[in-house]
Amino acid sequence: RLLYRTGIFASTRVGVPVIVVGNISTGGTGKTPGVIWLAQCLLDHGFKPGIVSRGYGGSARNPQRAAADGDARVVGDEALLLARRAACPVWVARSRVAAARGLLTAHPECNVIISDDGLQHYALQRDVELVVIDGERGWGNGMLLPAGPLREPLRRLAKVDALVINGGALFAPESLPPGVPAYDMRLSGAAFFDVHNPGRQVGPGHFTGQTVHAVAAIGNPQRFFASLRDLGISFTAHAFPDHHAYMPADCVFGANTAVIMTQKDAVKCERLVGENWWALRVDATIDPALGELILHKIGK
């Protein structure tokens, strides 16, 4: 970061406002649903946003569009989920500068870029920095990688524009940097869609009396399992590493068995053969004041 700030490493401005939605810790914080919420917020206020992503877990290196009918093995699971849920173009590349340039060339109407993750990708200049925090796990032991989960020291939070706390703030107010606004985010959902036929949806009652297995390959699988319990579903839990590349055997638990997974898992499992596989659709609800702050920051 110091090398970029002093100009030793080049940092690029792409010509439109850039909003980074990132975190300073490893593992899932709910960032992807937050990006979807932000894209819709901008659309509702007359902007034409585009999203860029590294495409983690995918093979793509050069800039390319993540299409709704794309392959998670190429563009990554999060980018493919964004392409399906966010009503705006999504581009991936190892370099977010290259992804942003590719997006703006293909979609010159876009007038704001959202970077999915990339808080530490300092090659791309940004106008707004948002940090999503897992309200349950916080910063773990508060130590940097590899001793702890932090990508940057906690003092980095004092330099961002806003904090978004997912799942309720378990922090005492004095543990947050003074002067940085914090906004509450909640994830909710009670509708399950058929992994192989997304137009078919059911409610939690569909699983009553069935043998159910729940799989999750996300940063915080326990949050997903807790949401299923809150919906009254009994199941056996199976947690996999984040961005796990599923094999058919990972989701086969015997005949007459229902399998429930996350949206991010579904974009990878839809190419596998399996029956009675379902994914929970989750949406983020964030304090509308965050939208007002962002509109002010980018000049509207």
Side-chain angles (χ1 to χ4, degrees):
R1 182 164 179 252
L2 177 62
L3 292 172
Y4 280 107
R5 289 178 61 189
T6 56
I8 295 174
F9 287 174
S11 184
T12 301
R13 184 167 292 280
V14 295
V16 300
V18 173
I19 305 168
V20 171
V21 182
N23 49 38
I24 65 165
S25 59
T26 60
T29 58
K31 174 175 50 59
T32 301
V35 169
I36 296 169
W37 178 91
L38 177 56
Q40 188 59 55
C41 175
L42 291 169
L43 286 165
D44 291 343
H45 286 87
F47 282 91
K48 298 182 184 300
I51 299 172
V52 297
S53 171
R54 179 174 178 262
Y56 188 86
S59 61
R61 299 188 63 85
N62 297 322
Q64 64 178 273
R65 176 174 172 251
D69 60 352
D71 188 340
R73 295 170 296 183
V74 177
V75 300
D77 49 14
E78 290 173 346
L80 184 53
L81 176 58
L82 288 168
R84 294 182 177 180
R85 292 293 314 275
C88 64
V90 179
W91 276 62
V92 301
R94 286 292 186 264
S95 163
R96 287 180 176 80
V97 173
R101 286 173 168 166
L103 187 154
L104 292 171
T105 298
H107 303 275
E109 73 280 4
C110 287
N111 54 14
V112 59
I113 295 288
I114 304 170
S115 176
D116 174 37
D117 210 350
L119 186 68
Q120 293 78 33
H121 192 88
Y122 293 112
L124 178 62
Q125 291 190 26
R126 65 287 308 268
D127 299 88
V128 182
E129 290 183 332
L130 308 179
V131 168
V132 183
I133 301 168
D134 187 328
E136 297 176 356
R137 296 185 298 171
W139 353 100
N141 63 7
M143 300 182 71
L144 293 169
L145 291 165
L150 295 183
R151 300 173 176 180
E152 296 186 273
L154 287 175
R155 62 178 178 271
R156 174 71 171 90
L157 295 175
K159 302 295 184 181
V160 305
D161 294 282
L163 307 175
V164 182
I165 302 174
N166 178 17
L170 298 185
F171 314 104
E174 59 270 17
S175 71
L176 297 174
V180 180
Y183 301 90
D184 183 62
M185 177 171 83
R186 302 284 174 171
L187 300 180
S188 61
F192 298 82
F193 61 87
D194 188 324
V195 171
H196 296 103
N197 181 18
R200 182 186 176 204
Q201 296 192 24
V202 299
H206 174 80
F207 303 101
T208 301
Q210 294 194 59
T211 300
V212 179
H213 290 261
V215 300
I218 57 177
N220 184 4
Q222 298 308 318
R223 183 190 298 278
F224 173 65
F225 297 145
S227 67
L228 296 182
R229 295 187 187 97
D230 290 343
L231 292 173
I233 299 173
S234 299
F235 60 91
T236 301
H238 305 268
F240 294 92
D242 196 11
H243 301 286
H244 175 67
Y246 281 96
M247 301 297 290
D250 293 332
C251 299
V252 175
F253 303 103
N256 303 317
T257 298
V259 178
I260 299 176
M261 61 188 67
T262 72
Q263 300 172 105
K264 196 167 84 168
D265 296 315
V267 300
K268 294 180 288 189
C269 292
E270 65 187 12
R271 296 179 181 271
L272 304 179
V273 177
E275 296 182 0
N276 206 11
W277 290 3
W278 302 87
L280 175 64
R281 178 187 170 107
V282 173
D283 295 292
T285 302
I286 304 179
D287 185 343
L290 175 62
E292 298 173 7
L293 174 72
I294 291 170
L295 294 174
H296 173 73
K297 290 281 186 181
I298 63 176
K300 183 176 180 179

